[in-house]
Structure formats: C-alpha cells, structure tokens
Amino acid sequence: MSKLATKFSTWALVFFFTGLAYAGSDIPPVDDGPYISINKDKERLEAVWLCQSKKRRQQVKLQDLPRTFFYCDRTAAAEVENLAVLPDDISYRGDFKVAAISDFHGQYDLVIKLLTNNKILDANGDWAFGNGHFVITGDVFDRGDKVTELLWFLYRLEKQAEDAGGKVHLLLGNHEVMVLNGDLRYLHPKYVEAGKLLDIPFEQLFAQDTVLGAWLRSKSVLVKINDMLFAHGGFHPELAKEARSLEDINRVFKQNLVKTELAQPREGWANELHGRKGPIWYRGYFKGNGEDQGASDKEIDLLLKHFAIRHLVVGHTSQKQVETRYQGRVIAIDSSIKKGKYGEVLLVDGEQKWRGTLAGERIPL
C-alpha cells in the first residue's frame, strides 16, 4: 500500500471511529477558522473558513500585510502582521513577574475570564502583564470547541507581549504533537465536521506551509525562567542521570517533531523523548499515574541540582487547583480547565507564589 493510501486510510478510520463515538448526536452548523496557508509562490496568503458549514475563501498578497481576517458574524479572528516567527529562547533570567497555566483544551471563554480577572489581560482582552512572562505548558488542542479561537488569541497576544517588553511562552504539549502527527482521537465533533467540510485531513490545516502550522513548529518543549523549569508533563530522572542538557532535550525533540516530515524514522533517544518518559507524556511526579509509580525525593533533588533550579512546573496531570508536590519542589498547574467550569493560574513575583483563582483572588501557594 502506498504512503498516500495508508495516510488516507488512517485518516478515514479516525473519522469513522470518532463518528461512532458521537453517533446520534446532532452537530450544529459549523463556524470555524480562518486557516491561512502560504501560497507556493510565497507571494500570497489564502484563508479558508466555515460559516454555517459553508466554505469561504480569501486571498491576500503578502505586500498587503498586516491584515485582520474577519469571518462570519464574529469580531477579528486572526491578525497577521507578517510571517516572521518571534525567537523564543529556552532560558530567561530577570526581575519580572511570571504567570503559568496549562491544558486549555479549547475552553476559550473560561481562559479569557481567568486571565482577565488575574490582570494578565485588560478588559478588551489585550496584554496587561507589562514585562512579565506568561507560560502555557501545552495542550491548547482537543476536547473543547474553541481551539482555533485560542490559537489566534495566543498568536496575537505573543506579539502584544513582545511590544510591551514581556513574553508569552507557548510550550508543546502531547495534544499539539498528537494533532500535528494526525492522531485525532480527542477532537471535538465540531473539528471532525470541519475537516470533512473543508475536505482535508484535519492535521493538514496546520501543515508547514500554514501560518499557524509554522508558528506551532517554532515552539519549544521546555523553558527555564529564573529558578523554575517548565514543561507539559515533566522530566524523567534518567535525564539527570544521563546528564542530558536542556538544549539537547529541546533540540532533539523538535528535530523529530512530525513523523511524516522526517527523512528517517525516529529512533534511539529521539524515540524515547517522544515516548511515555518524555517531557510531554511523563507523569512520574504523581504517584499512581507514572509507569514507574513516581519519582523519589532523591530523584527530584537530582533533577533540581542537574538543571540548576528550585522548582519543576508541569501540567498534563489534572488537579482541582494549582498544587504542590515534594514539599513545593514540584508545582502542578493543570487545574482542570478542560472541564470548562473552573481554572487557576500560578502567579510568581520574586519569592512569592500564589494561586490565582477564577474570580481573581490570590491565595498563597
């Protein structure tokens, strides 16, 4: 069987089984997009979107950027100034506030409320965090029905933060990597339908030649800020025992990001980094969730010493609120936003750390 046929069969099976899971449910008319691709001549952008399940298109010359793309009866959905991707290092040190959050899973309205009440956004939904650093430890995709809105929101917020002297760090989570690789098990039915209506495998809406696809491929899998190290799942103790550097972890992970774009199959350490012990899947800080039933205190101390940090900050494993493990050395920031009812944000100012609640209260961590 050819690679194209295999890919098509896999895509068809995903839609078939996802459809069975939602059999009998009525999917309302779909509003979604825009998805913006870069024309082969690299002189034009082509935007495609859905309004009430009807496909719409628009072409824009690159020389006409910046451009705000409107669609349906909504406000601005996408603001594209240029195709440049902002540089994002993996290590920062300075005197600034930090906020961190995880696992949005398509819950746009809840996220906006949480960030507004905690003064990361102003009343208009724009950046209000000054020179602060705002970290999202992955999983914007899947489960919820407003993933596209969240992606374009973060795309815009990143540029606003840069203009204000701050920084937005969107890290890759397992659901970003799953979607880029065509693993669509957790798509909301809206996006299953969108793929059908647009007549394209859903992951191809985030291909290398798309604005959002190129942007997502530029993202890191970790970031170190002052004495805190952030990742979606966490760092297996073997990384410290093997003296792996943060630079090597990020580089090898990124070089092996999308299987269909690799000249050779993932193998060796690259394959391990994308596996259950890698930074997007590891759950070993939460006993009962890890394959090895959790890291020991000694292993946590080894990780902290090796990476020269005081705290590991991770999402991926859901909690009721922002919580700590290992006497505060591990901070868990997946506050179950994916359920669409409640969420929290970690707030850091020097040595002080708080839980920022949905109502905007600050509770010492």
Side-chain angles (χ1 to χ4, degrees), residues 146-180:
K146 290 188 177 179
V147 171
T148 318
E149 289 88 339
L150 278 167
L151 291 171
W152 284 118
F153 157 69
L154 293 172
Y155 183 88
R156 172 176 59 84
L157 194 69
E158 184 179 77
K159 291 177 170 57
Q160 290 183 343
E162 195 83 11
D163 290 342
K167 200 78 179 176
V168 171
H169 306 277
L170 172 60
L171 304 183
L172 295 169
N174 61 302
H175 284 267
E176 279 72 50
V177 178
M178 288 169 70
V179 169
L180 291 176

PDB file of all heavy atoms in Angstrom, residues 146-180:
ATOM      1  N   LYS A 146     -13.376  25.479  20.995  1.00  0.00           N
ATOM      2  CA  LYS A 146     -12.868  26.785  20.601  1.00  0.00           C
ATOM      3  C   LYS A 146     -11.339  26.791  20.574  1.00  0.00           C
ATOM      4  O   LYS A 146     -10.686  27.698  21.098  1.00  0.00           O
ATOM      5  CB  LYS A 146     -13.408  27.883  21.528  1.00  0.00           C
ATOM      6  CG  LYS A 146     -14.901  28.130  21.334  1.00  0.00           C
ATOM      7  CD  LYS A 146     -15.387  29.346  22.101  1.00  0.00           C
ATOM      8  CE  LYS A 146     -16.869  29.606  21.823  1.00  0.00           C
ATOM      9  NZ  LYS A 146     -17.383  30.771  22.561  1.00  0.00           N
ATOM     10  N   VAL A 147     -10.797  25.781  19.926  1.00  0.00           N
ATOM     11  CA  VAL A 147      -9.345  25.665  19.797  1.00  0.00           C
ATOM     12  C   VAL A 147      -8.797  26.731  18.861  1.00  0.00           C
ATOM     13  O   VAL A 147      -7.802  27.399  19.169  1.00  0.00           O
ATOM     14  CB  VAL A 147      -8.972  24.259  19.289  1.00  0.00           C
ATOM     15  CG1 VAL A 147      -7.480  24.189  18.948  1.00  0.00           C
ATOM     16  CG2 VAL A 147      -9.323  23.202  20.318  1.00  0.00           C
ATOM     17  N   THR A 148      -9.449  26.911  17.708  1.00  0.00           N
ATOM     18  CA  THR A 148      -8.953  27.886  16.732  1.00  0.00           C
ATOM     19  C   THR A 148      -8.931  29.281  17.325  1.00  0.00           C
ATOM     20  O   THR A 148      -7.989  30.054  17.103  1.00  0.00           O
ATOM     21  CB  THR A 148      -9.832  27.863  15.462  1.00  0.00           C
ATOM     22  OG1 THR A 148     -10.150  26.525  15.117  1.00  0.00           O
ATOM     23  CG2 THR A 148      -9.114  28.530  14.302  1.00  0.00           C
ATOM     24  N   GLU A 149      -9.973  29.623  18.078  1.00  0.00           N
ATOM     25  CA  GLU A 149     -10.022  30.942  18.731  1.00  0.00           C
ATOM     26  C   GLU A 149      -8.847  31.115  19.691  1.00  0.00           C
ATOM     27  O   GLU A 149      -8.237  32.185  19.753  1.00  0.00           O
ATOM     28  CB  GLU A 149     -11.340  31.101  19.491  1.00  0.00           C
ATOM     29  CG  GLU A 149     -12.554  31.267  18.598  1.00  0.00           C
ATOM     30  CD  GLU A 149     -13.193  29.957  18.190  1.00  0.00           C
ATOM     31  OE1 GLU A 149     -12.506  28.904  18.243  1.00  0.00           O
ATOM     32  OE2 GLU A 149     -14.375  29.970  17.818  1.00  0.00           O
ATOM     33  N   LEU A 150      -8.521  30.067  20.443  1.00  0.00           N
ATOM     34  CA  LEU A 150      -7.402  30.140  21.383  1.00  0.00           C
ATOM     35  C   LEU A 150      -6.068  30.304  20.659  1.00  0.00           C
ATOM     36  O   LEU A 150      -5.207  31.078  21.090  1.00  0.00           O
ATOM     37  CB  LEU A 150      -7.370  28.883  22.253  1.00  0.00           C
ATOM     38  CG  LEU A 150      -8.304  28.877  23.455  1.00  0.00           C
ATOM     39  CD1 LEU A 150      -8.410  27.470  24.043  1.00  0.00           C
ATOM     40  CD2 LEU A 150      -7.842  29.855  24.522  1.00  0.00           C
ATOM     41  N   LEU A 151      -5.886  29.591  19.572  1.00  0.00           N
ATOM     42  CA  LEU A 151      -4.623  29.682  18.836  1.00  0.00           C
ATOM     43  C   LEU A 151      -4.401  31.090  18.294  1.00  0.00           C
ATOM     44  O   LEU A 151      -3.304  31.658  18.449  1.00  0.00           O
ATOM     45  CB  LEU A 151      -4.600  28.662  17.702  1.00  0.00           C
ATOM     46  CG  LEU A 151      -4.525  27.191  18.136  1.00  0.00           C
ATOM     47  CD1 LEU A 151      -4.735  26.277  16.931  1.00  0.00           C
ATOM     48  CD2 LEU A 151      -3.191  26.878  18.813  1.00  0.00           C
ATOM     49  N   TRP A 152      -5.416  31.669  17.659  1.00  0.00           N
ATOM     50  CA  TRP A 152      -5.254  33.019  17.131  1.00  0.00           C
ATOM     51  C   TRP A 152      -5.134  34.050  18.252  1.00  0.00           C
ATOM     52  O   TRP A 152      -4.419  35.058  18.112  1.00  0.00           O
ATOM     53  CB  TRP A 152      -6.406  33.380  16.197  1.00  0.00           C
ATOM     54  CG  TRP A 152      -6.290  32.729  14.861  1.00  0.00           C
ATOM     55  CD1 TRP A 152      -7.160  31.844  14.294  1.00  0.00           C
ATOM     56  CD2 TRP A 152      -5.239  32.909  13.905  1.00  0.00           C
ATOM     57  NE1 TRP A 152      -6.721  31.458  13.052  1.00  0.00           N
ATOM     58  CE2 TRP A 152      -5.544  32.101  12.789  1.00  0.00           C
ATOM     59  CE3 TRP A 152      -4.076  33.674  13.886  1.00  0.00           C
ATOM     60  CZ2 TRP A 152      -4.715  32.037  11.665  1.00  0.00           C
ATOM     61  CZ3 TRP A 152      -3.260  33.605  12.763  1.00  0.00           C
ATOM     62  CH2 TRP A 152      -3.571  32.799  11.675  1.00  0.00           C
ATOM     63  N   PHE A 153      -5.789  33.794  19.380  1.00  0.00           N
ATOM     64  CA  PHE A 153      -5.643  34.680  20.543  1.00  0.00           C
ATOM     65  C   PHE A 153      -4.197  34.679  21.032  1.00  0.00           C
ATOM     66  O   PHE A 153      -3.598  35.742  21.268  1.00  0.00           O
ATOM     67  CB  PHE A 153      -6.593  34.218  21.653  1.00  0.00           C
ATOM     68  CG  PHE A 153      -6.195  34.660  23.029  1.00  0.00           C
ATOM     69  CD1 PHE A 153      -6.271  36.003  23.391  1.00  0.00           C
ATOM     70  CD2 PHE A 153      -5.750  33.750  23.970  1.00  0.00           C
ATOM     71  CE1 PHE A 153      -5.897  36.416  24.665  1.00  0.00           C
ATOM     72  CE2 PHE A 153      -5.373  34.153  25.236  1.00  0.00           C
ATOM     73  CZ  PHE A 153      -5.449  35.495  25.587  1.00  0.00           C
ATOM     74  N   LEU A 154      -3.595  33.506  21.181  1.00  0.00           N
ATOM     75  CA  LEU A 154      -2.209  33.417  21.649  1.00  0.00           C
ATOM     76  C   LEU A 154      -1.234  33.963  20.619  1.00  0.00           C
ATOM     77  O   LEU A 154      -0.219  34.577  20.972  1.00  0.00           O
ATOM     78  CB  LEU A 154      -1.869  31.965  21.996  1.00  0.00           C
ATOM     79  CG  LEU A 154      -2.611  31.394  23.212  1.00  0.00           C
ATOM     80  CD1 LEU A 154      -2.338  29.896  23.344  1.00  0.00           C
ATOM     81  CD2 LEU A 154      -2.210  32.122  24.489  1.00  0.00           C
ATOM     82  N   TYR A 155      -1.544  33.757  19.350  1.00  0.00           N
ATOM     83  CA  TYR A 155      -0.715  34.299  18.268  1.00  0.00           C
ATOM     84  C   TYR A 155      -0.645  35.826  18.370  1.00  0.00           C
ATOM     85  O   TYR A 155       0.422  36.433  18.239  1.00  0.00           O
ATOM     86  CB  TYR A 155      -1.320  33.853  16.937  1.00  0.00           C
ATOM     87  CG  TYR A 155      -0.549  34.254  15.700  1.00  0.00           C
ATOM     88  CD1 TYR A 155       0.464  33.440  15.203  1.00  0.00           C
ATOM     89  CD2 TYR A 155      -0.852  35.420  15.011  1.00  0.00           C
ATOM     90  CE1 TYR A 155       1.162  33.787  14.056  1.00  0.00           C
ATOM     91  CE2 TYR A 155      -0.159  35.777  13.859  1.00  0.00           C
ATOM     92  CZ  TYR A 155       0.847  34.953  13.387  1.00  0.00           C
ATOM     93  OH  TYR A 155       1.539  35.303  12.252  1.00  0.00           O
ATOM     94  N   ARG A 156      -1.778  36.444  18.609  1.00  0.00           N
ATOM     95  CA  ARG A 156      -1.833  37.907  18.752  1.00  0.00           C
ATOM     96  C   ARG A 156      -1.205  38.352  20.069  1.00  0.00           C
ATOM     97  O   ARG A 156      -0.431  39.322  20.108  1.00  0.00           O
ATOM     98  CB  ARG A 156      -3.300  38.359  18.695  1.00  0.00           C
ATOM     99  CG  ARG A 156      -3.514  39.835  19.026  1.00  0.00           C
ATOM    100  CD  ARG A 156      -4.971  40.226  18.866  1.00  0.00           C
ATOM    101  NE  ARG A 156      -5.860  39.462  19.715  1.00  0.00           N
ATOM    102  CZ  ARG A 156      -6.123  39.760  20.994  1.00  0.00           C
ATOM    103  NH1 ARG A 156      -5.536  40.797  21.561  1.00  0.00           N
ATOM    104  NH2 ARG A 156      -6.958  39.019  21.680  1.00  0.00           N
ATOM    105  N   LEU A 157      -1.504  37.638  21.164  1.00  0.00           N
ATOM    106  CA  LEU A 157      -1.009  38.028  22.484  1.00  0.00           C
ATOM    107  C   LEU A 157       0.512  37.974  22.545  1.00  0.00           C
ATOM    108  O   LEU A 157       1.156  38.812  23.189  1.00  0.00           O
ATOM    109  CB  LEU A 157      -1.606  37.106  23.552  1.00  0.00           C
ATOM    110  CG  LEU A 157      -1.464  37.584  24.992  1.00  0.00           C
ATOM    111  CD1 LEU A 157      -2.337  38.808  25.239  1.00  0.00           C
ATOM    112  CD2 LEU A 157      -1.833  36.473  25.974  1.00  0.00           C
ATOM    113  N   GLU A 158       1.094  37.018  21.848  1.00  0.00           N
ATOM    114  CA  GLU A 158       2.543  36.885  21.813  1.00  0.00           C
ATOM    115  C   GLU A 158       3.205  38.156  21.286  1.00  0.00           C
ATOM    116  O   GLU A 158       4.199  38.641  21.845  1.00  0.00           O
ATOM    117  CB  GLU A 158       2.894  35.691  20.926  1.00  0.00           C
ATOM    118  CG  GLU A 158       4.357  35.357  20.847  1.00  0.00           C
ATOM    119  CD  GLU A 158       4.591  34.149  19.956  1.00  0.00           C
ATOM    120  OE1 GLU A 158       4.546  34.301  18.712  1.00  0.00           O
ATOM    121  OE2 GLU A 158       4.809  33.045  20.492  1.00  0.00           O
ATOM    122  N   LYS A 159       2.640  38.714  20.233  1.00  0.00           N
ATOM    123  CA  LYS A 159       3.196  39.931  19.646  1.00  0.00           C
ATOM    124  C   LYS A 159       2.946  41.141  20.556  1.00  0.00           C
ATOM    125  O   LYS A 159       3.805  42.022  20.679  1.00  0.00           O
ATOM    126  CB  LYS A 159       2.596  40.154  18.258  1.00  0.00           C
ATOM    127  CG  LYS A 159       3.066  39.127  17.227  1.00  0.00           C
ATOM    128  CD  LYS A 159       2.406  39.331  15.893  1.00  0.00           C
ATOM    129  CE  LYS A 159       3.049  38.467  14.806  1.00  0.00           C
ATOM    130  NZ  LYS A 159       3.033  37.030  15.105  1.00  0.00           N
ATOM    131  N   GLN A 160       1.774  41.206  21.193  1.00  0.00           N
ATOM    132  CA  GLN A 160       1.493  42.297  22.119  1.00  0.00           C
ATOM    133  C   GLN A 160       2.457  42.271  23.299  1.00  0.00           C
ATOM    134  O   GLN A 160       2.952  43.319  23.743  1.00  0.00           O
ATOM    135  CB  GLN A 160       0.057  42.206  22.623  1.00  0.00           C
ATOM    136  CG  GLN A 160      -0.998  42.519  21.579  1.00  0.00           C
ATOM    137  CD  GLN A 160      -2.402  42.477  22.170  1.00  0.00           C
ATOM    138  OE1 GLN A 160      -2.632  41.930  23.248  1.00  0.00           O
ATOM    139  NE2 GLN A 160      -3.347  43.054  21.447  1.00  0.00           N
ATOM    140  N   ALA A 161       2.724  41.079  23.827  1.00  0.00           N
ATOM    141  CA  ALA A 161       3.648  40.955  24.956  1.00  0.00           C
ATOM    142  C   ALA A 161       5.045  41.418  24.558  1.00  0.00           C
ATOM    143  O   ALA A 161       5.713  42.151  25.301  1.00  0.00           O
ATOM    144  CB  ALA A 161       3.688  39.505  25.434  1.00  0.00           C
ATOM    145  N   GLU A 162       5.495  41.023  23.379  1.00  0.00           N
ATOM    146  CA  GLU A 162       6.821  41.414  22.898  1.00  0.00           C
ATOM    147  C   GLU A 162       6.933  42.932  22.785  1.00  0.00           C
ATOM    148  O   GLU A 162       7.941  43.526  23.170  1.00  0.00           O
ATOM    149  CB  GLU A 162       7.065  40.756  21.536  1.00  0.00           C
ATOM    150  CG  GLU A 162       8.500  40.762  21.085  1.00  0.00           C
ATOM    151  CD  GLU A 162       9.310  39.635  21.684  1.00  0.00           C
ATOM    152  OE1 GLU A 162       8.725  38.710  22.288  1.00  0.00           O
ATOM    153  OE2 GLU A 162      10.549  39.686  21.546  1.00  0.00           O
ATOM    154  N   ASP A 163       5.891  43.570  22.289  1.00  0.00           N
ATOM    155  CA  ASP A 163       5.894  45.029  22.147  1.00  0.00           C
ATOM    156  C   ASP A 163       5.961  45.735  23.501  1.00  0.00           C
ATOM    157  O   ASP A 163       6.468  46.854  23.600  1.00  0.00           O
ATOM    158  CB  ASP A 163       4.640  45.490  21.396  1.00  0.00           C
ATOM    159  CG  ASP A 163       4.658  45.089  19.931  1.00  0.00           C
ATOM    160  OD1 ASP A 163       5.749  44.765  19.412  1.00  0.00           O
ATOM    161  OD2 ASP A 163       3.578  45.085  19.301  1.00  0.00           O
ATOM    162  N   ALA A 164       5.439  45.073  24.538  1.00  0.00           N
ATOM    163  CA  ALA A 164       5.423  45.658  25.883  1.00  0.00           C
ATOM    164  C   ALA A 164       6.655  45.286  26.699  1.00  0.00           C
ATOM    165  O   ALA A 164       6.774  45.680  27.860  1.00  0.00           O
ATOM    166  CB  ALA A 164       4.161  45.214  26.619  1.00  0.00           C
ATOM    167  N   GLY A 165       7.579  44.519  26.110  1.00  0.00           N
ATOM    168  CA  GLY A 165       8.772  44.089  26.830  1.00  0.00           C
ATOM    169  C   GLY A 165       8.574  42.807  27.606  1.00  0.00           C
ATOM    170  O   GLY A 165       9.451  42.414  28.391  1.00  0.00           O
ATOM    171  N   GLY A 166       7.429  42.145  27.417  1.00  0.00           N
ATOM    172  CA  GLY A 166       7.150  40.885  28.093  1.00  0.00           C
ATOM    173  C   GLY A 166       7.336  39.704  27.161  1.00  0.00           C
ATOM    174  O   GLY A 166       7.947  39.823  26.100  1.00  0.00           O
ATOM    175  N   LYS A 167       6.773  38.574  27.559  1.00  0.00           N
ATOM    176  CA  LYS A 167       6.972  37.365  26.759  1.00  0.00           C
ATOM    177  C   LYS A 167       5.845  36.375  27.011  1.00  0.00           C
ATOM    178  O   LYS A 167       5.414  36.186  28.148  1.00  0.00           O
ATOM    179  CB  LYS A 167       8.303  36.712  27.139  1.00  0.00           C
ATOM    180  CG  LYS A 167       8.855  35.762  26.101  1.00  0.00           C
ATOM    181  CD  LYS A 167       9.501  36.496  24.953  1.00  0.00           C
ATOM    182  CE  LYS A 167      10.076  35.549  23.924  1.00  0.00           C
ATOM    183  NZ  LYS A 167      10.634  36.240  22.764  1.00  0.00           N
ATOM    184  N   VAL A 168       5.374  35.766  25.932  1.00  0.00           N
ATOM    185  CA  VAL A 168       4.455  34.627  26.013  1.00  0.00           C
ATOM    186  C   VAL A 168       5.225  33.395  25.568  1.00  0.00           C
ATOM    187  O   VAL A 168       5.824  33.393  24.496  1.00  0.00           O
ATOM    188  CB  VAL A 168       3.208  34.827  25.131  1.00  0.00           C
ATOM    189  CG1 VAL A 168       2.385  33.538  25.074  1.00  0.00           C
ATOM    190  CG2 VAL A 168       2.350  35.968  25.663  1.00  0.00           C
ATOM    191  N   HIS A 169       5.211  32.354  26.392  1.00  0.00           N
ATOM    192  CA  HIS A 169       5.876  31.096  26.060  1.00  0.00           C
ATOM    193  C   HIS A 169       4.814  30.006  25.918  1.00  0.00           C
ATOM    194  O   HIS A 169       4.297  29.506  26.918  1.00  0.00           O
ATOM    195  CB  HIS A 169       6.858  30.678  27.156  1.00  0.00           C
ATOM    196  CG  HIS A 169       7.861  31.725  27.520  1.00  0.00           C
ATOM    197  ND1 HIS A 169       9.022  31.937  26.805  1.00  0.00           N
ATOM    198  CD2 HIS A 169       7.862  32.626  28.540  1.00  0.00           C
ATOM    199  CE1 HIS A 169       9.712  32.920  27.367  1.00  0.00           C
ATOM    200  NE2 HIS A 169       9.023  33.354  28.412  1.00  0.00           N
ATOM    201  N   LEU A 170       4.475  29.673  24.696  1.00  0.00           N
ATOM    202  CA  LEU A 170       3.589  28.536  24.454  1.00  0.00           C
ATOM    203  C   LEU A 170       4.455  27.311  24.225  1.00  0.00           C
ATOM    204  O   LEU A 170       5.195  27.237  23.238  1.00  0.00           O
ATOM    205  CB  LEU A 170       2.689  28.788  23.239  1.00  0.00           C
ATOM    206  CG  LEU A 170       1.852  27.598  22.769  1.00  0.00           C
ATOM    207  CD1 LEU A 170       0.909  27.121  23.874  1.00  0.00           C
ATOM    208  CD2 LEU A 170       1.074  27.943  21.505  1.00  0.00           C
ATOM    209  N   LEU A 171       4.389  26.358  25.143  1.00  0.00           N
ATOM    210  CA  LEU A 171       5.161  25.131  25.020  1.00  0.00           C
ATOM    211  C   LEU A 171       4.322  24.046  24.356  1.00  0.00           C
ATOM    212  O   LEU A 171       3.091  24.072  24.405  1.00  0.00           O
ATOM    213  CB  LEU A 171       5.623  24.647  26.405  1.00  0.00           C
ATOM    214  CG  LEU A 171       6.429  25.639  27.245  1.00  0.00           C
ATOM    215  CD1 LEU A 171       6.865  24.975  28.547  1.00  0.00           C
ATOM    216  CD2 LEU A 171       7.629  26.173  26.480  1.00  0.00           C
ATOM    217  N   LEU A 172       4.990  23.104  23.755  1.00  0.00           N
ATOM    218  CA  LEU A 172       4.307  21.984  23.129  1.00  0.00           C
ATOM    219  C   LEU A 172       3.847  20.988  24.187  1.00  0.00           C
ATOM    220  O   LEU A 172       4.615  20.601  25.074  1.00  0.00           O
ATOM    221  CB  LEU A 172       5.238  21.284  22.146  1.00  0.00           C
ATOM    222  CG  LEU A 172       5.672  22.098  20.928  1.00  0.00           C
ATOM    223  CD1 LEU A 172       6.796  21.380  20.187  1.00  0.00           C
ATOM    224  CD2 LEU A 172       4.494  22.368  19.998  1.00  0.00           C
ATOM    225  N   GLY A 173       2.589  20.577  24.089  1.00  0.00           N
ATOM    226  CA  GLY A 173       2.053  19.515  24.927  1.00  0.00           C
ATOM    227  C   GLY A 173       1.792  18.281  24.086  1.00  0.00           C
ATOM    228  O   GLY A 173       1.950  18.295  22.856  1.00  0.00           O
ATOM    229  N   ASN A 174       1.374  17.206  24.722  1.00  0.00           N
ATOM    230  CA  ASN A 174       1.137  15.985  23.961  1.00  0.00           C
ATOM    231  C   ASN A 174       0.016  16.147  22.932  1.00  0.00           C
ATOM    232  O   ASN A 174       0.064  15.540  21.848  1.00  0.00           O
ATOM    233  CB  ASN A 174       0.842  14.804  24.891  1.00  0.00           C
ATOM    234  CG  ASN A 174      -0.398  14.991  25.742  1.00  0.00           C
ATOM    235  OD1 ASN A 174      -0.485  15.949  26.506  1.00  0.00           O
ATOM    236  ND2 ASN A 174      -1.345  14.077  25.636  1.00  0.00           N
ATOM    237  N   HIS A 175      -0.971  17.010  23.199  1.00  0.00           N
ATOM    238  CA  HIS A 175      -2.060  17.152  22.236  1.00  0.00           C
ATOM    239  C   HIS A 175      -1.653  17.990  21.021  1.00  0.00           C
ATOM    240  O   HIS A 175      -2.180  17.765  19.931  1.00  0.00           O
ATOM    241  CB  HIS A 175      -3.298  17.717  22.930  1.00  0.00           C
ATOM    242  CG  HIS A 175      -4.004  16.681  23.753  1.00  0.00           C
ATOM    243  ND1 HIS A 175      -5.040  15.924  23.262  1.00  0.00           N
ATOM    244  CD2 HIS A 175      -3.792  16.249  25.021  1.00  0.00           C
ATOM    245  CE1 HIS A 175      -5.451  15.081  24.205  1.00  0.00           C
ATOM    246  NE2 HIS A 175      -4.703  15.260  25.271  1.00  0.00           N
ATOM    247  N   GLU A 176      -0.741  18.940  21.173  1.00  0.00           N
ATOM    248  CA  GLU A 176      -0.197  19.622  19.991  1.00  0.00           C
ATOM    249  C   GLU A 176       0.532  18.616  19.102  1.00  0.00           C
ATOM    250  O   GLU A 176       0.335  18.574  17.881  1.00  0.00           O
ATOM    251  CB  GLU A 176       0.774  20.741  20.400  1.00  0.00           C
ATOM    252  CG  GLU A 176       0.114  22.025  20.814  1.00  0.00           C
ATOM    253  CD  GLU A 176      -0.570  21.921  22.161  1.00  0.00           C
ATOM    254  OE1 GLU A 176       0.059  21.446  23.124  1.00  0.00           O
ATOM    255  OE2 GLU A 176      -1.760  22.302  22.241  1.00  0.00           O
ATOM    256  N   VAL A 177       1.372  17.802  19.731  1.00  0.00           N
ATOM    257  CA  VAL A 177       2.161  16.845  18.971  1.00  0.00           C
ATOM    258  C   VAL A 177       1.262  15.784  18.343  1.00  0.00           C
ATOM    259  O   VAL A 177       1.482  15.351  17.202  1.00  0.00           O
ATOM    260  CB  VAL A 177       3.243  16.207  19.869  1.00  0.00           C
ATOM    261  CG1 VAL A 177       4.042  15.162  19.098  1.00  0.00           C
ATOM    262  CG2 VAL A 177       4.189  17.290  20.403  1.00  0.00           C
ATOM    263  N   MET A 178       0.227  15.371  19.058  1.00  0.00           N
ATOM    264  CA  MET A 178      -0.715  14.387  18.505  1.00  0.00           C
ATOM    265  C   MET A 178      -1.393  14.927  17.244  1.00  0.00           C
ATOM    266  O   MET A 178      -1.438  14.252  16.214  1.00  0.00           O
ATOM    267  CB  MET A 178      -1.764  14.019  19.553  1.00  0.00           C
ATOM    268  CG  MET A 178      -1.234  13.152  20.680  1.00  0.00           C
ATOM    269  SD  MET A 178      -2.403  13.017  22.052  1.00  0.00           S
ATOM    270  CE  MET A 178      -3.693  12.018  21.300  1.00  0.00           C
ATOM    271  N   VAL A 179      -1.919  16.131  17.314  1.00  0.00           N
ATOM    272  CA  VAL A 179      -2.630  16.686  16.159  1.00  0.00           C
ATOM    273  C   VAL A 179      -1.678  16.887  14.985  1.00  0.00           C
ATOM    274  O   VAL A 179      -2.006  16.538  13.841  1.00  0.00           O
ATOM    275  CB  VAL A 179      -3.335  18.000  16.539  1.00  0.00           C
ATOM    276  CG1 VAL A 179      -3.849  18.722  15.284  1.00  0.00           C
ATOM    277  CG2 VAL A 179      -4.508  17.729  17.478  1.00  0.00           C
ATOM    278  N   LEU A 180      -0.506  17.429  15.224  1.00  0.00           N
ATOM    279  CA  LEU A 180       0.453  17.623  14.135  1.00  0.00           C
ATOM    280  C   LEU A 180       0.815  16.305  13.453  1.00  0.00           C
ATOM    281  O   LEU A 180       1.139  16.277  12.269  1.00  0.00           O
ATOM    282  CB  LEU A 180       1.716  18.311  14.655  1.00  0.00           C
ATOM    283  CG  LEU A 180       1.572  19.778  15.083  1.00  0.00           C
ATOM    284  CD1 LEU A 180       2.884  20.294  15.656  1.00  0.00           C
ATOM    285  CD2 LEU A 180       1.113  20.661  13.927  1.00  0.00           C
TER     286      LEU A 180
END
